[in-house]
Structure formats: structure tokens, C-alpha cells
């Protein structure tokens, strides 16, 4: 993906699934599990399956360079920088 290319919906879904997986890993490993909590591998099975499926659908299995480029693209625009609405005065 070039710097000016727009992500496809499948690429965006794959990058977002990867980011969710990272969040789940951080949460699962942040605190030791309690007596009633399932171990991290059980907690991570659903987000791992989601990421695997999304990566396959986007054709990104084994292409970490492209995936990391897409993840970087998700975070290029900060939420504090809203997209300007189109100028209504321009035809």
C-alpha cells in the first residue's frame, strides 16, 4: 500500500482487528488472573481468531510489512483533528 492509497474495507477491518488483538493481549497480561478468571490463552482465542480471519480476507497473511503500514495508516489522523466538512459554497 502506498502512502496515498486508500484502504479497502477488508484492509481496514484487518488493521482494526490487529489493534483490538493488541488491546486484548495488553489487558490479559496487565494483571495476574484471579482464581475465577480464565487464563490468557482462553481470553485471547476470540480476538486471535478474528484477526486471523480478517488478515486472510484482506490477503495479508504473512505480509507483516503491509499490515503494519495499514495499522500506521489508522493512526495518522488524530481524533482531535476532525475531518473538515466540504465547503457548501463550492459547486
Amino acid at each position: 500500500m502506498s502512502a496515498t492509497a486508500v484502504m479497502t474495507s477488508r484492509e481496514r477491518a484487518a488493521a482494526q482487528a490487529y489493534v483490538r488483538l493488541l488491546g486484548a493481549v495488553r489487558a490479559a497480561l496487565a494483571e495476574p488472573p484471579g482464581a475465577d478468571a480464565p487464563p490468557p490463552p482462553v481470553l485471547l482465542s476470540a480476538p486471535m481468531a478474528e484477526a486471523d480471519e480478517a488478515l486472510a480476507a484482506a490477503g495479508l497473511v504473512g505480509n507483516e510489512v503491509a499490515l503494519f503500514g495499514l495499522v500506521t495508516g489508522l493512526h495518522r489522523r488524530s481524533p482531535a483533528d476532525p475531518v473538515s466538512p466540504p465547503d457548501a459554497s463550492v459547486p
Side-chain angles (χ1 to χ4, degrees):
M1 182 179 118
S2 71
T4 58
V6 175
M7 274 186 244
T8 67
S9 61
R10 288 183 178 179
E11 289 172 334
R12 181 173 297 282
Q16 290 171 335
Y18 176 76
V19 170
R20 284 191 294 275
L21 174 58
L22 288 179
V25 168
R26 286 183 187 125
L29 300 177
E31 296 182 27
D36 296 333
V42 173
L43 295 172
L44 298 176
S45 61
M48 286 172 55
E50 176 197 13
D52 284 344
E53 185 178 311
L55 289 170
L60 294 169
V61 174
N63 194 344
E64 291 82 7
V65 172
L67 173 62
F68 295 147
L70 294 170
V71 170
T72 300
L74 286 178
H75 298 287
R76 281 208 182 119
R77 175 170 285 138
S78 139
D81 297 334
V83 176
S84 301
D87 187 354
S89 65
V90 176

